[in-house]
Amino acid sequence: MQISQQQLDLVNDRIRALVEAGSFYGKKLAEAGITHVETPEDFTKLPFSEKKDLRDAYPLGLMTAPEEEIVRIHSSSGTTGTPVIIPYTAKDVDDWAIMFKRCYETAGITNMDRIQITPGYGLWTAGIGFQNGAEKLGAMVIPMGPGNTDKQLQMMQDMKSTVLCSTSSYALLLAEEIEKRGIKDNIHLKKGVIGSERWSDKMRKHISESLGIELYDIYGLTEIYGPGIGINCEYNEGMHYWDDFLYIEVIDPKTGEPVPDGEMGEIVITTLVKEGAPLIRYRTHDLSRIIPGKCKCGRCYPRLDTIMGRTDDMMKIKGVNVFPSQIEEVLANFSEINSEYQIRISHLDGKDTMRIYVESTGDVDFDSLSKRIAEKVKSRIGFTPIVKVVEVGVLPRSMKKTARVIDERFD
């Protein structure tokens, strides 16, 4: 999807702001002699920005608006390396709320809904992003934050919450607790807005059926406002994203060249109107594709497909490149197991080993099931993993994101 003239004009406005402010990225543009772009071809020659650049700018090197206009900072949720600090102006906060409001409206959520928010508040963008959008919509917010499942379920029943906002991991945990406690008849949820981590079709189906709700995938990342920059509609054929605020391209992660619409690659995002910390051609490392054509819903906003993984998700085991999504696709074919799994990679006796843990009920033959899964995985990735089937509930659940791939080779 080629950048439009209107979007180019907005990019030039952001380039001017960056260079004039002398911010970290503005200096990079100035050093490269870049002051504006005239054509879509010029735009594709602009340098990428990367997570490392943002870390190198710590703490406030990304700040482009005058400090008196900065009303808030947020930071990425990563636990390793130097944090990334993103400053926001009041307009940035309001723009983000407008985008999030659109997400709720696209999901058919109204100001008569009661929205229970379970993601974390604070430096992380999740909780407050869900809340700002809901308040902009005019809906009642139940700002729970993460944890305290007893209290979550009590409020969900007493307040008759109709919308659940959470990670897929915590939605799964809540669904299992509701089933275990036999309180499904007391739950009034109709929709779930799920973000922050990739989830399999099998997990989606399980959560949807367990809670009896419609599920919506919300997209976002701290560096680009936060969650709320895209969501799927009722037809569930990709996520609409707001191209009046963002320009999205998909590139070949190896060459950096744009790929045609419909082809899988790495998502690259340019913020068109952001003031506090504009980003131009930011490499997200998320893998997806732009879906060509117009959606059946009639909305004019373009669409991204489901996030298929990340370029840095790849595991190299026994010389073979393996993505978690490949394992998920195999596991989805086994009705005897649920949606939870864990991959552990170790280095024992001079060689790599991969163990896959899955959950099943006690009425199946664990040994036979393990062998069948191992054979199918081998046919997909080229080597045989060790597969362990365990009872339902043995694998860890999380109130935030669940670590499903654990590489112990470098511990």
Side-chain angles (χ1 to χ4, degrees):
M1 182 169 293
Q2 195 175 67
I3 191 165
S4 70
Q5 186 57 53
Q6 185 179 9
Q7 289 170 323
L8 274 178
D9 292 342
L10 291 171
V11 168
N12 281 324
D13 186 57
R14 293 302 83 208
I15 290 175
R16 275 193 299 276
L18 284 160
V19 172
E20 285 171 11
S23 62
F24 179 87
Y25 194 54
K27 285 175 184 170
K28 286 187 74 171
L29 291 170
E31 286 165 10
I34 296 167
T35 56
H36 70 287
V37 288
E38 291 185 1
T39 66
E41 291 70 35
D42 288 343
F43 178 80
T44 60
K45 292 172 187 169
L46 287 172
F48 294 111
S49 45
E50 299 259 9
K51 190 74 164 267
K52 181 185 181 303
D53 298 327
L54 275 55
R55 288 197 171 115
D56 289 347
Y58 181 85
L60 286 172
L62 296 174
M63 188 167 68
T64 301
E67 185 166 346
E68 60 268 25
E69 294 179 16
I70 300 299
V71 298
R72 184 194 295 176
I73 62 144
H74 281 293
S75 181
S76 55
S77 59
T79 55
T80 58
T82 305
V84 171
I85 302 291
I86 306 294
Y88 293 67
T89 66
K91 181 180 181 297
D92 292 337
V93 172
D94 195 53
D95 285 348
W96 181 19
I98 289 167
M99 286 188 278
F100 220 124
K101 176 176 179 273
R102 282 184 196 169
C103 288
Y104 284 132
E105 289 170 336
T106 302
I109 296 165
T110 75
N111 61 357
M112 291 306 293
D113 277 296
R114 299 179 182 184
I115 301 177
Q116 185 155 330
I117 298 170
T118 69
Y121 285 74
L123 283 174
W124 196 24
T125 52
I128 200 163
F130 281 99
Q131 177 160 334
N132 285 351
E135 290 176 352
K136 181 70 80 173
L137 179 69
M140 182 191 296
V141 173
I142 304 161
M144 297 297 297
N148 198 342
T149 298
D150 288 342
K151 185 79 170 174
Q152 294 275 6
L153 294 176
Q154 180 193 334
M155 293 296 283
M156 193 178 286
Q157 294 173 85
D158 295 348
M159 295 303 302
K160 296 182 169 57
S161 308
T162 59
V163 177
L164 172 67
C165 300
S166 78
T167 63
S168 56
S169 295
Y170 197 39
L172 177 68
L173 188 153
L174 289 170
E176 291 177 341
E177 281 297 316
I178 287 166
E179 191 174 356
K180 195 186 299 179
R181 300 179 191 204
I183 57 174
K184 188 173 178 182
D185 289 346
N186 300 338
I187 301 297
H188 294 77
L189 292 177
K190 296 174 183 174
K191 298 174 190 284
V193 181
I194 309 296
S196 184
E197 58 182 345
R198 190 174 56 81
W199 48 326
S200 66
D201 288 339
K202 191 164 192 171
M203 182 185 283
R204 173 193 289 276
K205 188 168 183 284
H206 178 61
I207 294 169
S208 177
E209 291 177 353
S210 296
L211 293 174
I213 61 176
E214 295 172 13
L215 293 178
Y216 292 85
D217 258 323
I218 198 159
Y219 182 51
L221 49 162
T222 299
E223 300 90 330
I224 314 288
Y225 294 101
I229 64 174
I231 195 170
N232 61 289
C233 67
E234 64 271 24
Y235 288 96
N236 198 23
E237 294 179 354
M239 298 179 289
H240 293 276
Y241 63 90
W242 320 125
D243 61 343
D244 47 343
F245 290 91
L246 312 160
Y247 175 66
I248 292 184
E249 16 172 9
V250 175
I251 64 165
D252 181 318
K254 290 181 181 173
T255 67
E257 292 298 314
V259 302
D261 289 357
E263 194 171 307
M264 192 66 67
E266 179 184 344
I267 298 171
V268 173
I269 303 180
T270 296
T271 60
L272 298 175
V273 294
K274 204 170 188 206
E275 297 178 334
L279 285 178
I280 294 175
R281 303 199 82 202
Y282 179 69
R283 294 187 66 159
T284 67
H285 295 287
D286 290 333
L287 294 168
S288 186
R289 66 188 185 102
I290 289 174
I291 299 175
K294 200 166 184 180
C295 183
K296 286 183 240 177
C297 72
R299 291 178 177 88
C300 60
Y301 296 106
R303 290 171 295 157
L304 276 173
D305 207 343
T306 305
I307 306 302
M308 300 304 295
R310 291 179 55 80
T311 57
D312 48 8
D313 271 350
M314 188 185 77
M315 309 167 279
K316 192 149 192 169
I317 309 166
K318 301 187 178 186
V320 178
N321 295 337
V322 180
F323 285 90
S325 56
Q326 294 173 298
I327 308 298
E328 281 179 6
E329 286 166 11
V330 173
L331 299 181
N333 294 314
F334 290 86
S335 59
E336 304 98 318
I337 62 176
N338 66 12
S339 59
E340 282 299 282
Y341 71 92
Q342 187 181 87
I343 299 170
R344 283 186 176 265
I345 309 159
S346 306
H347 191 75
L348 302 171
D349 302 324
K351 60 183 181 181
D352 289 342
T353 62
M354 181 168 77
R355 287 166 288 157
I356 302 173
Y357 294 87
V358 296
E359 291 185 342
S360 188
T361 54
D363 54 359
V364 302
D365 184 327
F366 281 13
D367 286 340
S368 169
L369 181 57
S370 296
K371 287 173 186 168
R372 285 189 286 123
I373 292 172
E375 286 168 7
K376 287 290 185 185
V377 172
K378 181 187 179 184
S379 70
R380 181 68 194 270
I381 64 175
F383 64 87
T384 306
I386 300 164
V387 177
K388 301 279 188 184
V389 183
V390 298
E391 290 276 358
V392 171
V394 168
L395 294 178
R397 281 9 181 205
S398 174
M399 297 176 187
K400 295 182 181 178
K401 298 182 187 180
T402 298
R404 293 193 170 86
V405 179
I406 301 165
D407 194 335
E408 303 167 319
R409 289 176 293 184
F410 309 109
D411 289 352

